[in-house]
Amino acid sequence: MPLEEPILCKRIPTHPWGDPVDRKYVDYDRYVATGGYAAMDKAIAMPPAEVIDVVKAAELRGRGGAGFPAGMKWSFLPPDDGGRRYLAVNADESEPGTFKDRLLIDFDPHLLLEGCAICMHACRLDTAYIYIRGEYHAQAKALQRAVDEAYAHGVFGEGSKLGQINGRWPECHIHRGAGAYICGEETGLLESLEGKRGWPRIKPPFPAVAGAFGRPTIINNVETLAMVGPILDRGPEWFKSMGKGRPDGTPPQVPASFGPKLYGVSGHVNRPGVYEDELGVKLSYVIEELCQGMRGGKRFKGAIPGGISMGVLGPDEYHAELDFDIGKKHNCLGLGTAGVIVFDEDTDMVAVARNIARFFSRESCGQCTPCREGTSWMYKILCRIEEGGGRSRDLDMLLELAGSMGAMPGTTICGLADGANWAVRTIVNKFREEFESRVTREKYVALPVMG
Amino acid sequence: MAWIVKNSAGATIDRREEAYLNEAMKKRLEKEVLWRYPTRQAATLPVLHEIQHEYNWIPPQAIEETAAFLGLSPAQVMDTASFYDDFFLQPKGRHLIMVCQSLSCEIMGHGRLLDALREKLDIEPGDTTRDGKFTLRVAECLGSCGTAPCALFNETLHENLTLDNLDEILNSLE
Ligand SMILES: Cc1cc2nc3c(=O)[nH]c(=O)nc-3n(C[C@H](O)[C@H](O)[C@H](O)COP(=O)(O)O)c2cc1C
Ligand code: SF4
Ligand code: FES
């Protein structure tokens, strides 16, 4: 069911409510004139623990890829000890196919800043760092402008409306990355923030206990934090009236898929772009209604549901519901960032797999052998298949390589390897015939494995 | 591939009398940047960005100066600097062109763009034109997948690129 009114896009003209050509930066005054920062004022008047309870009750799940419940994350923090505690905002947005956070930063950055302020009050965090990827030059400027405005109007800095937190006036700083996908992984981000190479850390300890500079730290995605203001404003019940609840019989601890979501759609559709709709809308609806159909009237061949790490949906999964349960239902890793990439019938899936494997081999940070070696081997094998030199056993080798790497099989530190694993595995499996037709068949005798 | 490290043990460093990280820059950084972080090391990325902004690349001597400024060893700063694709440890052209090669851009025709640039500039990705005007690079997803193909020309993102507007952009760069 389509969303009744835009929520995250309230001030950002978006189809069907507005025309993207009318988008412009919303400054502090216009933000406040349209109801902005009222949720922050409301939150400040509440005891911090109650604010966390509201976010918990709304069952807001992280929009950065993993879908972890935000309220639960916030309640993992140890009791405050008077020392510093940090908020790290993940604006690294580098997952191919993902361009939704950029929309919020470009046009309505105060929505993010208000969410940060509420989170800092609720979790007793005195300093926020917004980690924004280095290539987002214009976005860093827009964000800096908004941060300056927020300081000038008493959101942050000395005399802040939030009052002192941990004995300090709350601060909000922008920290620019420098071109490394892995710095979007939360602990890679923290290392980078500390001035080091972006090597993900072994967990535990989790950032909520020992994060930035060894202190308790909350890390959330831009869209997750942007959602906090509207939830405080209108309440958890309103939030849960959108999206999809738990399937019947599921215990209440299992998180559901409530609320609106930004879908960034690219690829072979007539009108690509970022759209806001409820969680759980069908892929076919996104393509036909939001994006006005396949480009040139071509047939649908497949799609990536949420950034290339998530794997692929095949031709028979055209009606897949885009919610957090998509992984279980459609044999992919999950909803990810909801950055949907659509392929038409002319798309070469071997090339798609090769492109993805190249991405991961280039962006692997190199700490874990299965990831560092596995991604480059997959890339080499896929190049060979694409160029016509592949053999049928290459396909099995690809699947074996892919299936053995990742934090989920327990062989790597972070989830980058799982992304590579799922992407390559699902493409080869769901388009097996296409791959078979590209390799030469051969008989081979299995040799005993040494070692 | 950030984990590929070059052996720089025998490399000699070109030095100059004048500091890259000069007193004015240090003063400004001290005032505007360092107070934001609980450690001096945390300012490594902002300082390196500043140096690259000023000199268009990060000379080895500047790495040593950054280390001295932040109370680190040059090896620590080098370790960080060499990890990030956006830091140039070798001089680059006056204009940097970064063509996105990730999935949405590839399926929307980034190949034609890249070929056109190769031909016009007569260089391969990773190289700099002989006159030092352009450095061409391929980049991963630039966060503009809905308006693919796209490329960054210096700090400006150009979306929905075609061969026609490519010429216009190139001509507009001095
Ligand atoms: C390799 C890798 C890259 C990631 N990149 C991003 C990113 O660019 N932006 C983001 O918000 N989360 C990214 N994540 C997810 C973060 O680790 C983390 O789960 C998220 O920022 C938490 O915020 P959320 O709970 O609000 O979603 C990435 C994860 C992995 C494993
Ligand atoms: S899984 Fe890959 S990217 Fe993640 S820490 Fe290990 S080597 Fe680095
Ligand atoms: S794939 Fe090129 S901008 Fe995202």
Side-chain angles (χ1 to χ4, degrees):
Chain A
M1 205 185 40
L3 204 59
E4 272 167 29
E5 50 169 330
I7 294 150
L8 293 168
C9 292
K10 176 175 163 186
R11 301 173 187 85
I12 309 173
T14 300
H15 294 298
W17 307 282
D19 191 334
V21 299
D22 300 327
R23 286 175 183 168
K24 51 181 185 291
Y25 174 87
V26 176
D27 64 10
Y28 179 87
D29 290 336
R30 221 163 74 79
Y31 185 71
V32 169
T34 46
Y37 286 114
M40 180 185 79
D41 293 338
K42 190 168 165 185
I44 294 172
M46 291 161 64
E50 264 176 42
V51 179
I52 297 183
D53 286 342
V54 171
V55 176
K56 254 194 193 159
E59 300 183 41
L60 169 65
R61 294 178 68 174
R63 266 56 172 155
F68 194 83
M72 202 192 292
K73 188 188 281 186
W74 294 7
S75 57
F76 288 159
L77 285 162
D80 47 348
D81 56 6
R84 302 186 73 161
R85 291 148 68 105
Y86 301 100
L87 171 63
V89 182
N90 197 338
D92 193 56
E93 192 161 70
S94 313
E95 172 81 14
T98 310
F99 52 106
K100 62 183 181 73
D101 296 340
R102 177 182 151 203
L103 181 79
L104 296 172
I105 297 170
D106 263 332
F107 300 109
D108 201 6
H110 282 288
L111 189 64
L112 167 63
L113 298 184
E114 182 173 9
C116 293
I118 296 171
C119 174
M120 290 164 82
H121 169 72
C123 301
R124 312 316 291 156
L125 313 173
D126 49 89
T127 306
Y129 294 106
I130 305 179
Y131 189 103
I132 185 166
R133 63 178 300 190
E135 293 82 353
Y136 275 3
H137 297 282
Q139 289 69 30
K141 288 197 184 103
L143 201 50
Q144 188 62 57
R145 179 173 165 194
V147 168
D148 292 345
E149 289 171 352
Y151 268 91
H153 290 90
V155 179
F156 306 112
E158 207 180 313
S160 156
K161 291 178 197 164
L162 297 172
Q164 288 203 335
I165 298 178
N166 307 327
R168 292 171 182 82
W169 291 110
E171 304 281 356
C172 178
H173 307 300
I174 295 170
H175 187 90
R176 288 183 59 218
Y181 167 69
I182 196 58
C183 294
E185 197 279 341
E186 52 187 16
T187 55
L189 183 152
L190 296 178
E191 289 288 302
S192 182
L193 177 64
E194 293 181 8
K196 305 170 193 159
R197 52 170 56 213
W199 269 7
R201 299 174 182 169
I202 294 175
K203 286 154 267 191
F206 288 96
V209 177
F213 311 103
R215 297 289 306 163
T217 303
I218 289 295
I219 304 167
N220 273 126
N221 170 258
V222 170
E223 187 186 347
T224 313
L225 287 163
M227 204 59 243
V228 170
I231 289 176
L232 256 286
D233 197 19
R234 298 163 78 167
E237 289 315 313
W238 162 80
F239 185 74
K240 287 162 79 171
S241 69
M242 293 165 285
K244 269 187 56 205
R246 277 167 284 275
D248 286 339
T250 333
Q253 305 86 286
V254 177
S257 299
F258 292 122
K261 177 81 192 78
L262 296 179
Y263 296 94
V265 196
S266 60
H268 301 140
V269 291
N270 279 323
R271 197 177 65 189
V274 179
Y275 298 93
E276 183 176 18
D277 215 311
E278 300 195 19
L279 271 168
V281 293
K282 288 198 167 94
L283 174 63
S284 49
Y285 162 85
V286 168
I287 293 174
E288 287 164 22
E289 301 294 322
L290 302 181
C291 300
Q292 314 223 304
M294 298 291 294
R295 195 184 60 169
K298 295 267 173 147
R299 265 205 330 252
F300 169 82
K301 178 167 184 177
I304 280 174
I308 61 168
S309 300
M310 294 300 123
V312 76
L313 300 170
D316 51 345
E317 288 164 312
Y318 184 53
H319 298 292
E321 289 172 344
L322 300 171
D323 59 40
F324 288 112
D325 288 324
I326 192 171
K328 268 179 257 147
K329 284 188 288 194
H330 293 283
N331 191 25
C332 57
L333 186 49
L335 182 65
T337 59
V340 180
I341 308 178
V342 180
F343 308 123
D344 70 16
E345 53 189 313
D346 299 334
T347 312
D348 175 353
M349 296 314 282
V350 176
V352 168
R354 181 262 301 138
N355 181 297
I356 292 176
R358 198 231 26 253
F359 176 82
F360 287 115
S361 71
R362 189 173 142 145
E363 298 296 338
S364 165
C365 83
Q367 282 190 97
C368 322
T369 309
C371 171
R372 181 187 62 239
E373 303 299 323
T375 50
S376 9
W377 277 108
M378 292 197 305
Y379 175 50
K380 280 182 197 151
I381 296 172
L382 283 159
C383 285
R384 182 159 78 205
I385 297 174
E386 190 179 16
E387 286 153 12
R391 293 153 290 178
S392 50
R393 71 169 175 217
D394 281 347
L395 299 183
D396 297 327
M397 195 145 63
L398 263 182
L399 291 175
E400 191 189 329
L401 263 173
S404 64
M405 53 192 268
M408 283 170 5
T411 60
T412 65
I413 295 173
C414 91
L416 182 141
D418 294 284
N421 166 341
W422 279 82
V424 170
R425 225 157 27 83
T426 55
I427 298 175
V428 175
N429 282 331
K430 294 186 185 182
F431 296 90
R432 180 91 193 193
E433 277 172 30
E434 188 171 338
F435 280 80
E436 295 277 3
S437 74
R438 297 280 285 272
V439 295
T440 34
R441 284 177 187 286
E442 59 175 12
K443 274 207 184 127
Y444 66 94
V445 199
L447 294 170
V449 182
M450 310 294 273
Chain B
M1 277 178 258
W3 43 271
I4 291 192
V5 200
K6 288 197 193 69
N7 179 4
S8 56
T12 48
I13 295 180
D14 271 336
R15 287 178 207 282
R16 68 177 209 191
E17 200 64 24
E18 197 189 335
Y20 287 95
L21 191 60
N22 57 40
E23 289 308 315
M25 280 165 87
K26 282 197 215 170
K27 222 167 128 187
R28 193 172 65 237
L29 285 164
E30 202 72 64
K31 185 162 155 260
E32 290 172 10
V33 174
L34 274 128
W35 71 274
R36 299 177 173 192
Y37 302 100
T39 65
R40 290 184 78 81
Q41 183 171 18
T44 304
L45 264 61
V47 172
L48 293 175
H49 271 305
E50 185 80 13
I51 291 170
Q52 179 153 293
H53 188 75
E54 195 73 26
Y55 301 101
N56 204 29
W57 70 298
I58 302 171
Q61 183 182 325
I63 297 260
E64 294 177 341
E65 292 166 5
T66 303
F69 178 53
L70 298 179
L72 303 167
S73 71
Q76 279 174 298
V77 178
M78 190 62 188
D79 186 68
T80 299
S82 61
F83 184 79
Y84 297 92
D85 273 356
D86 288 357
F87 291 137
F88 281 76
L89 304 179
Q90 235 92 59
K92 68 174 186 317
R94 281 202 304 290
H95 300 293
L96 175 65
I97 307 176
M98 300 217 296
V99 182
C100 175
Q101 61 170 348
S102 288
L103 191 54
S104 303
C105 285
E106 176 171 332
I107 65 170
M108 295 303 280
H110 95 297
R112 277 191 315 263
L113 273 181
L114 199 57
D115 287 344
L117 280 167
R118 271 200 186 103
E119 197 172 313
K120 280 184 212 301
L121 306 178
D122 196 21
I123 49 173
E124 286 302 305
D127 296 343
T128 301
T129 52
R130 223 178 261 222
D131 59 2
K133 187 167 174 189
F134 293 107
T135 295
L136 177 63
R137 265 206 175 182
V138 281
E140 298 297 350
C141 183
L142 295 171
S144 180
C145 327
T147 43
C150 66
L152 267 174
F153 289 75
N154 301 318
E155 297 192 357
T156 311
L157 181 75
H158 289 273
E159 306 168 80
N160 291 317
L161 276 169
T162 63
L163 296 184
D164 291 339
N165 50 30
L166 190 63
D167 271 334
E168 255 170 63
I169 298 163
L170 284 180
N171 291 335
S172 72
L173 295 172
E174 277 307 305

